[in-house]
């Protein structure tokens, strides 16, 4: 091979490759950041960026603690049993650095607790140092976590819908039931109405029947449009395709009024019907193009052999259109799973994942770390669905573009 030509080829492909790389980076970096953040604890999320987990970080206050306190209290804070600094009950007595300063000024056994000169500068200047020591003491008392520690607490908090200021696991461990707001640290918390567990169940209850119904109905209709001869077939199909331009938002008010008139508001049946109704036009269009592009001869020979429509539908049309069914299935599944608006309006008493995520965050937004876990919880199932069917996906995407 001519080396010049190879070089030429590489340079020609360069812009495309570069664009691809940039696109991948643009997609992957924020997702990776979110993913990493979802494993960091609340304090870490609030104070440092996610990228800091890749570089060793000095632990706040560790050097100050070793210089001024470790000689008596020990590196782990538990050398003095009466003053066990790794005990949360003791540390909580000194929420602020001036409280600690006041304590340190009291003599112990006739000796100054910490000689004032040992802390540099005047007592007021020593406050920042004490602040750092305090942070370190808090670290010690919360299990001696040092450096970047990864936890599942965001996931657990999201799963049970914890809204306190700490984390569910910590509050359960310390028996702080007041902060748990109705949760009781048993397995039943997994189904707490404010959590993602129950929301995931609701999402599945909404999504799976809708997807199955849309696929089944669309396959029937598509077969009819493609191979059944009846009057006005083209017109009906044109109207159906045209129906896709009706915006979903337009139907919200009339249909919710209709639902409340017949007592169907906030029922699963209501949302199933709505999603199926709005999913069908496109689904029929896609399936009809695929089934219609299957070779005519096989159907004709099947009819000649005496097969009726039902038989040729189940034994020919359906098996041959598996790629289209799979891609339609993925599409429909993701569409309904990610829907927020319809679920928010038609299913108020059974929040699905997308709706529950917005319920999770407290009004001041101080617990946004929980959203990272919630986000990943909400796309576990779509990911599974996607990877299970993705080998059909590319083939199915071409459905309708292939002429028979
Ligand atoms: C000279 C040794 C010594 C040094 C240095 C020292 N401590 Fe102490 N500390 C003690 C002793 C002894 C006690 C136990 C007092 C008692 O029995 O109540 C104590 C108790 C405490 C308590 C109170 C615990 C309680 O029961 O409420 C805190 C808080 C504390 N120390 C923080 C610090 C900090 C922070 C530093 C570093 C700036 C430090 N100490 C340095 C000896 C020391």
């Amino acid at each position: 091979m001519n080396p010049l030509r190879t070089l030429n080829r590489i340079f020609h492909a360069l812009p495309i490759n570069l664009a691809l790389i940039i696109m991948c980076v643009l997609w992957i970096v924020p997702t990776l950041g979110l993913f990493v953040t979802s494993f960091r604890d609340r304090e870490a999320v609030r104070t440092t960026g996610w990228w800091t987990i890749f570089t060793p970080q000095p632990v706040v206050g560790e050097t100050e603690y070793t210089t001024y306190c470790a000689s008596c209290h020990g590196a782990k804070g538990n050398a003095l049993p009466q003053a066990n600094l790794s005990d949360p009950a003791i540390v909580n007595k000194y929420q602020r650095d001036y409280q600690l300063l006041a304590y340190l000024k009291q003599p112990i056994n006739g000796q100054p607790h910490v000689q004032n000169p040992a802390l540099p500068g005047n007592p007021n200047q020593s406050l920042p140092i004490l602040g750092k020591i305090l942070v370190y003491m808090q670290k010690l008392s919360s299990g001696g976590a040092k450096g970047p520690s990864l936890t599942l607490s965001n996931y657990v908090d999201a799963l049970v819908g914890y809204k306190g200021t700490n984390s569910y696991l910590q509050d359960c461990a310390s028996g702080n039931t007041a902060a748990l707001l109705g949760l009781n640290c048993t397995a039943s918390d997994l189904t707490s109405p404010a959590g993602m567990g129950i929301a995931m169940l609701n999402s599945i209850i909404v999504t799976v029947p809708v997807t199955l119904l849309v696929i089944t109905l669309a396959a029937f209709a598509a077969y009819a449009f493609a191979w059944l001869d009846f009057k006005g077939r083209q017109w009906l199909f044109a109207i159906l395709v045209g129906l896709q331009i009706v915006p979903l938002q337009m139907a919200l008010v009339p249909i919710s009024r209709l639902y409340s008139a017949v007592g169907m508001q906030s029922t699963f049946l209501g949302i199933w019907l709505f999603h199926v109704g709005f999913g069908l036009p496109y689904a029929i269009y896609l399936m009809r193009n695929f089934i219609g592009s299957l070779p005519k001869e096989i159907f004709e020979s099947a009819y000649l052999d005496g097969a009726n429509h039902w038989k040729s539908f189940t034994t020919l049309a359906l098996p041959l259109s598996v790629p289209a069914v799979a891609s339609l299935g993925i599409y429909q599944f993701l569409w309904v799973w990610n829907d927020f608006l319809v679920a928010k309006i038609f299913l108020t008493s059974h929040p699905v994942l997308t709706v529950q995520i917005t319920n999770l965050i407290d009004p001041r937004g101080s617990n946004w770390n929980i959203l990272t876990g919630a986000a990943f919880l909400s796309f576990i199932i779509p990911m599974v669905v996607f990877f299970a069917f993705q080998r059909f996906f590319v083939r199915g995407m071409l459905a309708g573009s292939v002429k028979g």
Side-chain angles (χ1 to χ4, degrees), residues 174-404:
S174 63
N176 186 2
T177 41
L180 283 169
L181 301 172
L183 302 172
N184 48 15
C185 300
T186 59
S188 66
D189 285 351
L190 286 177
T191 57
S192 99
M196 299 284 281
I198 200 79
M200 196 177 281
L201 198 70
N202 287 340
S203 273
I204 293 174
I205 297 178
V206 169
T207 311
V208 171
V210 168
T211 310
L212 293 180
L213 261 175
V214 165
I215 290 177
T216 324
L217 293 179
F220 281 137
Y223 180 86
F225 278 124
W227 301 113
L228 238 55
D229 251 334
F230 57 90
K231 236 179 140 194
R233 182 169 69 151
Q234 299 301 345
W235 274 107
L236 208 58
F237 187 61
I239 291 173
L240 204 88
V241 173
L243 275 181
Q244 287 181 69
I245 62 165
V246 176
L248 181 147
Q249 290 81 351
M250 220 173 80
L252 293 176
V253 173
I255 292 194
S256 73
R257 289 184 63 171
L258 176 74
Y259 279 2
S260 58
V262 298
M264 229 161 65
Q265 74 272 51
S266 201
T267 59
F268 284 112
L269 181 65
I271 195 165
W272 288 335
L273 288 179
F274 191 94
H275 275 311
V276 169
F278 274 89
L280 272 180
Y282 176 70
I284 295 176
Y285 170 72
L286 184 111
M287 290 296 292
R288 134 79 241 209
N289 281 359
F290 193 88
I291 293 184
S293 70
L294 296 172
K296 209 165 151 190
E297 291 76 24
I298 53 170
F299 286 98
E300 277 166 358
S301 60
Y303 298 146
L304 281 183
D305 287 344
N308 57 12
H309 280 305
W310 175 250
K311 196 160 165 76
S312 68
F313 172 74
T314 48
T315 56
L316 284 177
L318 213 51
L320 284 175
S321 47
V322 166
V325 166
S327 76
L328 178 65
I330 294 181
Y331 245 116
Q332 190 62 42
F333 188 93
L334 293 182
W335 173 254
V336 177
W337 188 271
N338 290 334
D339 157 73
F340 171 79
L341 185 67
V342 177
K344 177 89 183 162
I345 291 176
F346 289 110
L347 209 59
T348 35
S349 53
H350 306 278
V352 300
L353 280 173
T354 45
V355 175
Q356 192 77 304
I357 286 182
T358 62
N359 296 340
L360 273 180
I361 194 132
D362 81 333
R364 282 161 290 132
S366 66
N367 63 342
W368 70 269
N369 59 304
I370 196 176
L371 292 187
T372 58
F376 280 93
L377 278 179
S378 74
F379 55 79
I380 288 177
I381 290 185
M383 288 270 255
V384 170
V385 170
F386 184 78
F387 283 113
F389 293 100
Q390 57 88 26
R391 59 205 172 91
F392 302 109
F393 199 53
V394 180
R395 274 199 285 161
M397 288 282 279
L398 300 176
S401 66
V402 191
K403 242 178 102 83

